[in-house]
Amino acid sequence: SDLRPLNDNLECEQSHSFPVVDGVPILLREDVPPTHPAIQKTLSEVRENRVDSLRLPQSADGIDPVVQVVVSATCGRLYAPLVNSLERYPIPRSRLPDGKGKTLLDVGCNWGRWTFSAARQGYRAIGIDPDLGPILAAKRIANQLGIEAHFVVGDARWLPFKTDRFDSVFSYSVIQHFSKDDARSAISSAGRVLKDGGTATIQMPNTYGIRNIAHQATHRRPESFDVRYWTPAELQQTFAQLIGPTQLSVDGFFGLGIQPDDVDMLPLRFQLVVRSSEALRWAASRFPPLRLAADSLYATSEKISGPER
């Protein structure tokens, strides 16, 4: 339902009240189990008025201090050597088509990496994440880089937007961490907020990936926010059922989060990993069965309502 301003909050038609911090609506639910400790952390920070510690000044080196700390957690293990030593923001170009003014929701945006990428590609982008600290960082970075983007604190399973709101939903390295039930809730929610004919592009891990097989052999029981692996058939069926016709494409080999646009930032040994991944991705585009060995896949689904679906 519609939200209306009330003092420093937003209120819905059922009189539920949601706080607003520095222009960011906090649209989390307190009546459901969290997917991540960040949800409870954000709710506590707001409830106890402890948000001042999240309002950080700009770093002297020009890179937001939050990004310096979380770059490996948000971008992948290849970025571990860059913690506290970033010289530029790792904002790669996505594989989405140019936006041409279309609306896009980046689910699990953290400090806004893919939100900024989408905005630079011509989308009217909104990022959503349950962690208030990185969202405030995203606002600082948007202002610093002169990028127009908006941010909301919320839960991927219950996206706080009206039905048929977005032309595109994008998510990278987020839903892969959810339990299968929570992942299905998030995928269904993404489908709900898409317009008819809209497209969801969501990165997911492949059970049969080269590196993923080795990881599964040593991590039998996933804990907390560990990666949960999906077979290609499982992805195809789930996304088709919850959103619409789905195609799988290769994101990368030898790991999750590998981005060729960031190759110059990485140590030489990791540059070789990225270049090898790109070579195999090119090969998979010519020989589709090879994608079954990719570690990271994109599920791209078109929302079709009614009898056609």
Side-chain angles (χ1 to χ4, degrees):
S1 61
D2 289 331
L3 296 172
R4 60 179 182 272
L6 182 66
N7 300 321
D8 293 328
N9 297 337
L10 293 174
E11 187 176 82
C12 74
E13 294 175 358
Q14 288 77 38
S15 297
H16 299 130
S17 184
F18 303 94
V20 178
V21 176
D22 295 352
V24 175
I26 312 299
L27 299 171
L28 292 169
R29 293 179 55 172
E30 300 191 55
D31 61 329
V32 293
T35 57
H36 192 278
I39 293 178
Q40 294 169 313
K41 173 173 162 284
T42 294
L43 290 170
S44 295
E45 287 167 340
V46 174
R47 188 186 303 113
E48 299 168 15
N49 196 24
R50 293 187 284 109
V51 299
D52 281 347
S53 62
L54 306 177
R55 298 183 175 109
L56 304 181
Q58 187 63 50
S59 174
D61 63 9
I63 304 298
D64 195 275
V66 168
V67 183
Q68 290 282 24
V69 172
V70 304
V71 61
S72 178
T74 58
C75 300
R77 294 183 179 181
L78 295 189
Y79 296 75
L82 304 180
V83 172
N84 290 318
S85 62
L86 282 173
E87 296 181 357
R88 68 170 173 85
Y89 291 110
I91 304 175
R93 180 180 174 86
S94 78
R95 298 195 179 109
L96 298 173
D98 287 344
K100 298 179 180 179
K102 293 181 178 180
T103 53
L104 176 141
L105 178 65
D106 177 14
V107 178
C109 67
N110 201 268
W111 58 267
R113 183 188 197 198
W114 295 105
T115 314
F116 301 139
S117 178
R120 286 176 169 175
Q121 289 177 237
Y123 289 90
R124 290 183 289 140
I126 296 177
I128 184 169
D129 196 90
D131 198 342
L132 178 59
I135 285 289
L136 294 181
K139 288 198 67 177
R140 292 193 297 268
I141 297 166
N143 183 64
Q144 178 188 6
L145 300 180
I147 295 176
E148 184 175 354
H150 302 278
F151 297 95
V152 173
V153 169
D155 191 320
R157 298 168 297 176
W158 293 280
L159 295 172
F161 302 98
K162 289 188 174 183
T163 300
D164 304 329
R165 171 67 179 82
F166 293 94
D167 297 297
S168 181
V169 172
F170 181 87
S171 186
Y172 196 95
S173 191
V174 177
I175 296 175
Q176 65 177 17
H177 293 286
F178 290 2
S179 70
K180 295 288 178 79
D181 286 343
D182 282 338
R184 291 185 179 93
S185 295
I187 296 164
S188 178
S189 190
R192 181 187 63 78
V193 301
L194 273 176
K195 299 177 182 177
D196 286 351
T199 301
T201 304
I202 296 176
Q203 177 271 337
M204 296 292 284
N206 175 18
T207 297
Y208 308 128
I210 297 170
R211 185 182 178 282
N212 291 346
I213 289 174
H215 190 266
Q216 291 170 86
T218 57
H219 294 74
R220 293 293 185 180
R221 295 182 179 179
E223 298 179 3
S224 183
F225 218 54
D226 284 350
V227 172
R228 272 75 167 182
Y229 298 95
W230 298 63
T231 68
E234 201 177 10
L235 290 173
Q236 192 89 46
Q237 180 181 15
T238 300
F239 279 82
Q241 178 185 15
L242 297 177
I243 300 179
T246 298
Q247 292 184 339
L248 301 181
S249 60
V250 173
D251 174 47
F253 291 80
F254 307 124
L256 306 173
I258 293 173
Q259 297 300 321
D261 287 353
D262 293 340
V263 68
D264 63 296
M265 306 176 68
L266 303 174
L268 179 59
R269 66 186 186 279
F270 291 156
Q271 291 185 22
L272 295 174
V273 173
V274 175
R275 297 191 192 284
S276 299
S277 172
E278 281 298 284
L280 283 176
R281 191 170 71 87
W282 178 88
S285 69
R286 272 74 180 168
F287 184 63
L290 187 57
R291 74 182 185 189
L292 294 177
D295 289 279
S296 183
L297 297 171
Y298 277 117
T300 302
S301 308
E302 181 182 1
K303 180 178 178 178
I304 298 178
S305 298
E308 293 184 13
R309 183 173 176 184

